[in-house]
Amino acid sequence: MRPDDDARRQARGGPFDGYHRRMVPPPDPELTQVGPGTPCGEYLRRFWQPVAFARDLSATPLRVRILGEDLVVFRDRSGRTGVLHLHCAHRGTSLEFGIPVERGIRCCYHGWVFDVDGRCLETPGQPSGSRLSERIWQGAYPTHEFSGLVFAYLGRPDRRPAFPIYDSFDVPGYRLMPAAKFALPCHWLQVKDNSMDPVHTAFLHALSSGYQFTEAFGVVPELDWLPTQAGMVYVATRRVGDLVWVRVCDFMPPNVHQFTREFEDATEAKPASRPVVIRWAVPNDDDQTTNFELAQVDPAWGLTAEQVAQPGFGQSDDRPYAERQRHPADFDAQSSQRRIAVHALEHLGAADRGVIMLRRIVRDGIRAVARGDDPQCAHWPDGTVIRTFTQDAVFRIPPAPDPEADRRLLRRTGRSVIDENRA
Amino acid sequence: MRPDDDARRQARGGPFDGYHRRMVPPPDPELTQVGPGTPCGEYLRRFWQPVAFARDLSATPLRVRILGEDLVVFRDRSGRTGVLHLHCAHRGTSLEFGIPVERGIRCCYHGWVFDVDGRCLETPGQPSGSRLSERIWQGAYPTHEFSGLVFAYLGRPDRRPAFPIYDSFDVPGYRLMPAAKFALPCHWLQVKDNSMDPVHTAFLHALSSGYQFTEAFGVVPELDWLPTQAGMVYVATRRVGDLVWVRVCDFMPPNVHQFTREFEDATEAKPASRPVVIRWAVPNDDDQTTNFELAQVDPAWGLTAEQVAQPGFGQSDDRPYAERQRHPADFDAQSSQRRIAVHALEHLGAADRGVIMLRRIVRDGIRAVARGDDPQCAHWPDGTVIRTFTQDAVFRIPPAPDPEADRRLLRRTGRSVIDENRA
Amino acid sequence: MRPDDDARRQARGGPFDGYHRRMVPPPDPELTQVGPGTPCGEYLRRFWQPVAFARDLSATPLRVRILGEDLVVFRDRSGRTGVLHLHCAHRGTSLEFGIPVERGIRCCYHGWVFDVDGRCLETPGQPSGSRLSERIWQGAYPTHEFSGLVFAYLGRPDRRPAFPIYDSFDVPGYRLMPAAKFALPCHWLQVKDNSMDPVHTAFLHALSSGYQFTEAFGVVPELDWLPTQAGMVYVATRRVGDLVWVRVCDFMPPNVHQFTREFEDATEAKPASRPVVIRWAVPNDDDQTTNFELAQVDPAWGLTAEQVAQPGFGQSDDRPYAERQRHPADFDAQSSQRRIAVHALEHLGAADRGVIMLRRIVRDGIRAVARGDDPQCAHWPDGTVIRTFTQDAVFRIPPAPDPEADRRLLRRTGRSVIDENRA
């Protein structure tokens, strides 16, 4: 066999062919860069992004890095939130050492004061009568505070959308509360891929490492993915004896998803339950992401704000490596797909259809922005409450006579949950 | 409004215009690179630079990084100090693991010995009769030990200046002692900017974070900056009732400044007091700086050498972040102006005139070296004792009838301190 | 003197000429890059390389970095070892979080299973009937387990050699045991240079830092280096009164060497003793190296496996810096020759002849591979037991009448050990 033949054979794949497949191409630049002026960075900037929990704003400001920009978040003494460029317009000292005042923030170094819109209000070291402050502006972004989360809009000012209202913000009987914040040392899109990938709940969270949720999760469900007005959903339908459990999760572009609590055990028929968690995956940089969560909480659960703020099991880097190896969870599976996952090396199958759809929505949005249009789901008519479908519903439906027919039945039952709602 | 108009309006500055001002240009390369062969690096190399305190030279050598070069500093057993390139001329092993011997230092790996001038004295592993050592030189720099500080000259050998003698080295009644050494993770010039920026004493050290010095510092003084033969001074003059307090500090290019102790409370008239601290800001690299201090100490203070060697409050990275946020000090204000401050983003005012003058002196020196000349203040006539002006003086001078006239009076009083001395 | 003259004089070397010799050229790219597709990287890949000790393979896999590639090493439940590319062929999750199963390893994220040859055995999330797995291969390398060490072959599949058998694997009366593993933060070649550099045993391990071995090591020996079929040897011959002590060590390209225990005190005549240590210096990256050792152990020593697995004194980064400065050892001398030693700055003498020969063997091998040939020592005839010479032998031979004659006598005695064996 000539070396050429060997190379050709190996390129198709074969035993012990690591030598022929060891080169790692760079990540897709269109999808994976988030800094100012990058295609994906400009796309993400067309949406309000959470930058801090209000609970973390105290007498001192909070330094954050969002989309590759260094920022300071603070609440001034009249209660307004500000998001400013980190470095003072005067000589660059970080405003993380600044002092929030009645109106805006004062830089520690020479006492200059900036309002939350960036206006310079005082330059006290200057000679009396100086009009220097009139031409000084600190870079600032508009903010919006909602349910204990501070959002900022970092995009083109003339395309700023209204803050979107999801129907899941208001679920009767539940209280929307600020929940967990946790970081992953990897690109945001691989964190989000996970949201439309229900197969992993059967493996990562059940068979691979012991049952992290309920035993019912240990069955690979009948799967479906559907576009919605808000973005897309997955529908995962499992048979549990005479019951059929339909689990639906939403992805809302560009980087939001929501899911129900992971404690459904599907032991009795019940209508759609929607105590959702809503999660934003905000890029700090190309290879670092912070998740911010809001959660619908049943007051009957008796949880304190501190308890609601705890990340779920295995979501954050809070376990020793040896334990993460024995019982891997979301943090481990997602952050270990390289710092920035390389799509060119993937082998996607039918079960990855949701991931493919999600990435298509993101790429379409990036290209819309690049050609001067608005991306999908950025702008909504005034007063819109955006319809989402996240739920657990359990129906009493006896099995069909044969496995193939039952699969069709499960699939039909799953879709009906969306169709009803869409009707 | 068309997008173009929007962009143009934002470029002038306006509310919430962070999007239009988020790009960060690179630092000025002429002013901010310190490595071998760079403009500023060659300028700084035309002066003696402190590289270590003698108190840190023991039976083992000291590894340092100065101006982007890895060096070893040691004292041999006959008492001479040596500053050599870190890596042995033989096969590169670090001389930080070498053994100071009677004459020079012996590399641990194969026992080669180098004198403090770099001459190779022994290559013991070689066959007897070998003359290999005669053609071996370890890179070496001349040293000068003064008041417990070891200085080296890293510049062009044929332009080596005499070691400069400042008048402040000898203040009657005080003893010049080795004082603190502390590092800042940032460029040296932003550390030095601070020296000609007296406004910050009113804010950073008083109003912003509580009174770190005396209450008298909490008034923005009448300010003046003047060129001197040694470099430049600032003159900060404050009225305290019937008293006028004149504080003067010197900047001696390229990277030295001196100041009085920060405990003047200006409660009575007194002649010029000069218990100065002299501080060199030596670049380790473009974005790391070590301050070395000598201090005039009154024996009556009863301070031990260890106490004199302690950095002042907030000068070094020795406080927890939360405390630094509540009570920011010099370390925080200076090191947070980015790792390397970006002058193109600054907005300087009248109170920054000293910073502008200081940078002009540095830039003029850089350009002088670049065109083959000597920079200002490098060479002095033999026997020169260089005149400096650092002092606190308090005069009993009742206020002028109106604020404007009093400001003129303060200014005149401040200048008189320099004129008298210059006369 | 004109500056030009000055520059020219300094280039030849002279006192305090650090300024003229401060520029550090890059390392030799031919010799010092180890990643996929680099000249030296492809050379090293033509040999079996140790990647892990079997003792470190447990119920969880082991993540390693070898020659710039991220790999996972594991033992499946049927006892076979596997070395696979770290990131799962599906969506890239690290197989360090995978679960070894009866046949191969299962990815934690979606349960895909790969056999030790890379074949995909299951893609459980896919629809029933899916034939996706048939076209999926995980990058895999062949493995060979020997004496508690797992070796892998990362080179061109069609040039895979048989695993080489050294005569030192079987020494009567001794037991070959897995020994130490320890890392150095530097390039592999400077770690290996040390193996053919017997002069350092007199300095680094004796005179420089106190006697780490026996006192007999404190004499610079009569030195010789000879090519052998297995690679090369050094012969270090010392006179100890009426005795002559011959110490021989082998270098077996590309990155193996062996040596005797360092406790010879040469107090009586004795035949060749061969309780060797065999050490592979495996590059993790260009500037990080892991040493793997096998050791011949005399059962009479009563050592536990844990004791045999301990690195020797000063071999690893297990001592505080202050102690390493006072008593430097191999780790310090080798790893401080820069992260990657710069040969262009070296000054080699007669005592470095072994280093020069070793590097020549490596460079010849690199060039052989580059032009399509096999490198020296990669392929051996079937059944070859490779002859090596590592030993301590002590002869009773009274000194010759004068020092020069005695040196010739020592040299002759040293060579005789090799000649006898080669005969």
Side-chain angles (χ1 to χ4, degrees):
Chain A
M1 190 169 60
R2 293 174 309 158
D4 271 10
D5 293 340
D6 182 61
R8 226 172 290 127
R9 189 180 58 79
Q10 297 283 14
R12 292 196 309 267
F16 296 118
D17 71 346
Y19 182 82
H20 294 293
R21 12 172 84 236
R22 63 196 171 158
M23 294 303 185
V24 180
D28 180 340
E30 186 181 41
L31 277 185
T32 59
Q33 297 173 0
V34 302
T38 61
C40 182
E42 290 304 306
Y43 166 60
L44 291 166
R45 280 171 173 77
R46 291 297 180 88
F47 298 84
W48 288 93
Q49 299 288 351
V51 296
F53 276 109
R55 66 182 178 230
D56 293 330
L57 303 184
S58 62
T60 50
L62 186 67
R63 175 183 180 154
V64 299
R65 190 163 170 90
I66 301 288
L67 294 167
E69 299 185 38
D70 287 319
L71 305 173
V72 66
V73 187
F74 64 97
R75 187 185 299 287
D76 73 9
R77 294 202 186 161
S78 60
R80 297 171 310 154
T81 53
V83 173
L84 302 180
H85 286 176
L86 185 66
H87 294 283
C88 176
H90 177 210
R91 293 219 325 260
T93 286
S94 174
L95 294 175
E96 78 198 279
F97 299 109
I99 302 104
V101 291
E102 185 61 24
R103 185 172 167 199
I105 189 169
R106 182 184 296 279
C107 177
C108 73
Y109 204 3
H110 304 92
W112 290 24
V113 175
F114 303 101
D115 204 347
V116 295
D117 66 355
R119 187 181 309 269
C120 182
L121 302 175
E122 297 181 37
T123 59
Q126 300 303 315
S128 64
S130 163
R131 296 182 55 183
L132 178 64
S133 70
E134 293 174 21
R135 57 182 183 80
I136 307 290
W137 290 87
Q138 180 73 14
Y141 294 116
T143 64
H144 182 81
E145 205 172 340
F146 176 78
S147 191
L149 259 185
V150 179
F151 291 79
Y153 176 75
L154 276 66
R156 259 180 71 163
D158 62 340
R159 300 307 306 148
R160 185 202 312 181
F163 185 77
I165 304 298
Y166 297 110
D167 58 0
S168 52
F169 287 169
D170 185 10
V171 178
Y174 294 92
R175 184 169 157 225
L176 190 62
M177 290 178 72
K181 169 184 160 187
F182 51 95
L184 293 98
C186 64
H187 190 261
W188 72 276
L189 189 54
Q190 65 213 62
V191 173
K192 222 71 220 175
D193 280 349
N194 182 273
S195 72
M196 287 294 105
D197 172 16
V199 174
H200 90 272
T201 61
F203 284 90
L204 184 64
H205 299 310
L207 303 174
S208 292
S209 75
Y211 290 83
Q212 293 167 9
F213 304 161
T214 61
E215 291 207 17
F217 274 93
V219 178
V220 179
E222 190 61 29
L223 296 174
D224 213 353
W225 293 270
L226 300 166
T228 65
Q229 262 201 306
M232 68 178 286
V233 292
Y234 80 66
V235 185
T237 311
R238 287 167 170 93
R239 170 158 301 287
V240 185
D242 266 8
L243 300 171
V244 173
W245 165 32
V246 181
R247 179 177 165 86
V248 181
C249 290
D250 291 271
F251 166 67
M252 298 94 94
N255 59 339
V256 197
H257 81 287
Q258 57 186 14
F259 51 97
T260 54
R261 294 280 168 182
E262 303 88 348
F263 44 50
E264 184 56 55
D265 51 11
T267 53
E268 56 183 15
K270 52 186 284 197
S273 90
R274 304 196 69 194
V276 301
V277 176
I278 310 165
R279 189 187 284 170
W280 286 258
V282 182
N284 306 106
D285 269 306
D286 291 358
D287 64 356
Q288 180 78 23
T289 302
T290 297
N291 279 318
F292 290 91
E293 289 180 352
L294 295 180
Q296 291 289 1
V297 178
D298 185 338
W301 297 338
L303 296 174
T304 64
E306 287 68 32
Q307 288 170 322
V308 174
Q310 287 306 307
F313 171 80
Q315 296 297 309
S316 66
D317 186 12
D318 59 359
R319 298 185 300 149
Y321 181 70
E323 189 198 320
R324 290 166 46 210
Q325 275 202 307
R326 281 194 310 275
H327 303 290
D330 274 318
F331 178 87
D332 315 302
Q334 293 170 31
S335 69
S336 76
Q337 298 171 288
R338 296 189 167 84
R339 288 298 293 244
I340 305 181
V342 177
H343 296 173
L345 294 177
E346 293 178 340
H347 293 82
L348 303 183
D352 300 300
R353 217 158 64 235
V355 170
I356 295 167
M357 281 176 67
L358 181 155
R359 292 179 187 173
R360 167 61 55 192
I361 291 172
V362 169
R363 197 183 293 276
D364 285 350
I366 290 170
R367 292 187 176 167
V369 171
R371 71 174 173 263
D373 292 341
D374 286 323
Q376 181 189 352
C377 301
H379 292 269
W380 299 90
D382 270 11
T384 303
V385 173
I386 304 166
R387 192 54 156 317
T388 64
F389 300 94
T390 296
Q391 63 186 284
D392 283 301
V394 184
F395 303 95
R396 182 164 302 278
I397 304 179
D402 68 89
E404 188 49 44
D406 199 48
R407 263 201 297 279
R408 284 196 304 271
L409 175 60
L410 290 180
R411 201 174 176 82
R412 217 160 47 232
T413 307
R415 286 222 169 188
S416 72
V417 164
I418 308 301
D419 294 337
E420 262 171 42
N421 278 276
R422 286 205 289 197
Chain B
M1 190 168 61
R2 291 174 312 157
D4 271 10
D5 292 341
D6 182 60
R8 225 173 291 126
R9 190 180 58 78
Q10 298 282 13
R12 293 196 309 267
F16 297 118
D17 71 347
Y19 182 82
H20 293 293
R21 9 171 87 234
R22 64 195 172 159
M23 294 302 185
V24 181
D28 180 339
E30 186 180 42
L31 277 186
T32 59
Q33 298 173 359
V34 303
T38 60
C40 183
E42 291 303 305
Y43 166 60
L44 291 167
R45 279 171 174 77
R46 292 297 180 87
F47 299 83
W48 288 92
Q49 298 288 352
V51 297
F53 275 110
R55 67 182 177 229
D56 293 330
L57 303 184
S58 63
T60 50
L62 185 69
R63 175 183 181 155
V64 299
R65 191 162 170 91
I66 301 288
L67 293 168
E69 298 185 38
D70 287 318
L71 304 173
V72 66
V73 187
F74 65 97
R75 186 185 299 287
D76 74 9
R77 294 200 187 164
S78 60
R80 297 171 311 155
T81 52
V83 173
L84 302 180
H85 286 177
L86 184 68
H87 294 283
C88 176
H90 177 210
R91 294 220 323 262
T93 286
S94 174
L95 294 175
E96 78 197 282
F97 299 110
I99 302 105
V101 291
E102 185 60 24
R103 186 173 166 197
I105 188 168
R106 183 184 294 280
C107 178
C108 73
Y109 204 3
H110 304 92
W112 290 24
V113 174
F114 303 101
D115 205 347
V116 294
D117 67 355
R119 187 180 310 269
C120 182
L121 301 175
E122 295 180 39
T123 59
Q126 300 302 314
S128 63
S130 162
R131 297 182 55 183
L132 177 63
S133 70
E134 295 174 20
R135 55 179 184 85
I136 308 291
W137 291 87
Q138 180 73 14
Y141 295 115
T143 64
H144 181 81
E145 204 172 340
F146 176 77
S147 191
L149 258 185
V150 179
F151 291 79
Y153 176 75
L154 275 66
R156 260 180 71 162
D158 61 339
R159 300 309 305 150
R160 186 202 311 181
F163 184 78
I165 304 298
Y166 297 111
D167 58 0
S168 51
F169 286 169
D170 184 10
V171 177
Y174 293 93
R175 184 169 158 226
L176 189 63
M177 290 179 70
K181 169 183 159 189
F182 51 94
L184 293 98
C186 63
H187 189 261
W188 73 275
L189 190 53
Q190 65 213 62
V191 173
K192 222 71 220 175
D193 280 348
N194 182 274
S195 72
M196 287 294 106
D197 172 16
V199 174
H200 89 272
T201 61
F203 284 90
L204 184 64
H205 300 308
L207 303 174
S208 292
S209 75
Y211 290 83
Q212 295 167 7
F213 304 161
T214 60
E215 290 207 16
F217 274 93
V219 178
V220 179
E222 189 60 30
L223 295 173
D224 212 352
W225 293 270
L226 299 166
T228 66
Q229 262 201 305
M232 67 176 288
V233 292
Y234 79 66
V235 184
T237 310
R238 286 167 170 93
R239 169 158 303 285
V240 186
D242 266 5
L243 300 171
V244 172
W245 164 32
V246 181
R247 179 176 166 88
V248 181
C249 291
D250 290 272
F251 166 68
M252 299 94 94
N255 58 340
V256 197
H257 81 286
Q258 57 185 14
F259 51 97
T260 53
R261 295 279 169 184
E262 304 86 347
F263 44 49
E264 184 56 55
D265 51 11
T267 53
E268 55 184 17
K270 52 186 286 194
S273 89
R274 303 197 68 194
V276 301
V277 176
I278 310 165
R279 187 188 284 170
W280 287 258
V282 182
N284 306 105
D285 270 306
D286 291 357
D287 63 356
Q288 179 78 23
T289 301
T290 297
N291 278 318
F292 291 91
E293 288 180 352
L294 295 180
Q296 290 289 1
V297 178
D298 185 338
W301 296 339
L303 295 173
T304 65
E306 287 67 33
Q307 288 170 322
V308 174
Q310 288 306 308
F313 171 80
Q315 297 297 309
S316 67
D317 185 12
D318 59 358
R319 296 185 302 149
Y321 181 70
E323 189 197 320
R324 290 165 48 211
Q325 274 202 309
R326 280 194 309 276
H327 303 290
D330 274 318
F331 178 88
D332 315 301
Q334 293 170 32
S335 70
S336 76
Q337 298 171 289
R338 295 190 168 84
R339 287 299 291 244
I340 305 182
V342 178
H343 296 173
L345 295 177
E346 293 177 341
H347 293 83
L348 302 183
D352 300 299
R353 217 157 65 234
V355 170
I356 294 167
M357 280 175 68
L358 180 155
R359 293 179 186 173
R360 167 62 57 190
I361 291 172
V362 169
R363 197 183 293 276
D364 285 349
I366 290 171
R367 292 187 175 168
V369 171
R371 70 176 173 260
D373 292 341
D374 287 322
Q376 181 189 353
C377 300
H379 293 270
W380 299 90
D382 271 11
T384 303
V385 174
I386 305 165
R387 192 52 156 319
T388 63
F389 300 94
T390 296
Q391 65 187 283
D392 283 300
V394 183
F395 305 94
R396 183 165 301 278
I397 304 178
D402 67 273
E404 188 48 45
D406 199 47
R407 262 200 297 279
R408 283 196 304 273
L409 175 60
L410 291 180
R411 200 171 177 85
R412 216 159 49 233
T413 308
R415 287 221 169 188
S416 72
V417 163
I418 308 300
D419 294 337
E420 263 170 43
N421 277 277
R422 288 204 285 197
Chain C
M1 191 171 57
R2 291 175 311 159
D4 271 9
D5 293 342
D6 181 62
R8 225 173 291 127
R9 188 180 59 78
Q10 298 282 14
R12 292 196 310 268
F16 297 118
D17 71 346
Y19 182 82
H20 293 293
R21 12 171 86 236
R22 63 194 172 160
M23 294 302 185
V24 181
D28 180 340
E30 186 181 42
L31 278 185
T32 58
Q33 297 173 0
V34 302
T38 60
C40 183
E42 290 304 304
Y43 166 61
L44 291 166
R45 279 172 174 77
R46 291 296 180 87
F47 299 84
W48 288 92
Q49 298 290 351
V51 296
F53 276 109
R55 67 183 178 229
D56 293 331
L57 303 184
S58 63
T60 50
L62 185 67
R63 175 183 181 154
V64 299
R65 190 162 170 92
I66 301 288
L67 293 167
E69 298 185 38
D70 287 318
L71 305 173
V72 67
V73 187
F74 64 96
R75 188 185 299 288
D76 73 9
R77 294 200 186 163
S78 60
R80 298 171 311 154
T81 52
V83 173
L84 302 180
H85 287 176
L86 184 67
H87 294 283
C88 177
H90 178 210
R91 294 221 323 261
T93 286
S94 174
L95 294 175
E96 79 196 282
F97 299 109
I99 302 105
V101 291
E102 184 61 23
R103 186 174 166 197
I105 190 170
R106 183 185 294 280
C107 178
C108 73
Y109 203 3
H110 304 93
W112 290 24
V113 174
F114 304 100
D115 205 347
V116 295
D117 67 355
R119 187 180 309 269
C120 183
L121 302 174
E122 296 181 37
T123 58
Q126 300 302 315
S128 63
S130 162
R131 297 182 56 183
L132 177 64
S133 71
E134 293 173 22
R135 57 181 182 81
I136 307 289
W137 290 87
Q138 179 73 13
Y141 294 115
T143 64
H144 181 81
E145 205 171 341
F146 175 77
S147 191
L149 257 185
V150 179
F151 291 79
Y153 176 75
L154 275 65
R156 258 181 71 162
D158 61 338
R159 300 308 305 150
R160 187 204 309 183
F163 185 77
I165 305 298
Y166 297 110
D167 58 1
S168 52
F169 286 169
D170 184 10
V171 178
Y174 294 91
R175 182 168 159 228
L176 190 62
M177 290 178 70
K181 169 183 159 188
F182 50 95
L184 292 99
C186 63
H187 188 261
W188 73 274
L189 190 53
Q190 65 212 61
V191 173
K192 222 69 219 174
D193 280 349
N194 182 274
S195 72
M196 287 294 105
D197 172 16
V199 175
H200 90 272
T201 62
F203 284 90
L204 184 63
H205 300 308
L207 302 174
S208 293
S209 75
Y211 290 82
Q212 294 167 8
F213 305 161
T214 61
E215 291 206 17
F217 274 93
V219 178
V220 178
E222 190 59 31
L223 295 175
D224 214 352
W225 293 269
L226 299 166
T228 66
Q229 263 201 305
M232 68 176 286
V233 292
Y234 79 67
V235 185
T237 310
R238 286 167 170 93
R239 170 157 302 285
V240 185
D242 267 6
L243 300 171
V244 172
W245 164 32
V246 181
R247 179 177 166 85
V248 181
C249 291
D250 291 272
F251 165 67
M252 299 95 93
N255 59 338
V256 197
H257 81 287
Q258 56 186 15
F259 52 98
T260 53
R261 294 280 167 183
E262 303 88 347
F263 45 49
E264 184 57 57
D265 52 10
T267 54
E268 55 182 16
K270 51 184 287 195
S273 90
R274 303 196 68 194
V276 302
V277 176
I278 310 165
R279 188 187 285 170
W280 286 258
V282 182
N284 306 105
D285 270 306
D286 291 358
D287 65 354
Q288 179 78 21
T289 302
T290 297
N291 278 319
F292 291 91
E293 289 180 351
L294 296 180
Q296 291 288 3
V297 178
D298 185 338
W301 296 338
L303 295 174
T304 64
E306 286 68 32
Q307 288 169 322
V308 174
Q310 287 305 309
F313 171 80
Q315 297 298 308
S316 66
D317 185 14
D318 59 358
R319 297 185 300 149
Y321 181 71
E323 188 197 321
R324 291 165 47 210
Q325 273 202 309
R326 280 193 311 275
H327 303 289
D330 274 318
F331 177 88
D332 315 303
Q334 294 170 31
S335 69
S336 77
Q337 297 171 287
R338 296 191 168 84
R339 288 299 293 243
I340 305 181
V342 177
H343 296 172
L345 294 177
E346 294 177 340
H347 293 82
L348 303 184
D352 300 299
R353 218 158 65 235
V355 170
I356 294 167
M357 281 176 66
L358 181 155
R359 293 179 187 173
R360 166 62 57 191
I361 292 172
V362 169
R363 196 183 294 275
D364 285 349
I366 290 170
R367 292 187 176 168
V369 171
R371 69 175 174 263
D373 293 341
D374 286 324
Q376 182 188 353
C377 300
H379 292 269
W380 299 88
D382 271 11
T384 303
V385 174
I386 304 166
R387 192 54 157 316
T388 63
F389 301 94
T390 296
Q391 64 187 283
D392 283 300
V394 184
F395 304 94
R396 183 165 303 278
I397 304 178
D402 66 89
E404 187 49 44
D406 199 48
R407 263 201 296 280
R408 283 197 303 272
L409 175 60
L410 291 179
R411 200 172 175 85
R412 218 159 46 234
T413 308
R415 286 223 169 187
S416 72
V417 163
I418 308 300
D419 294 337
E420 263 172 43
N421 278 278
R422 287 206 284 197

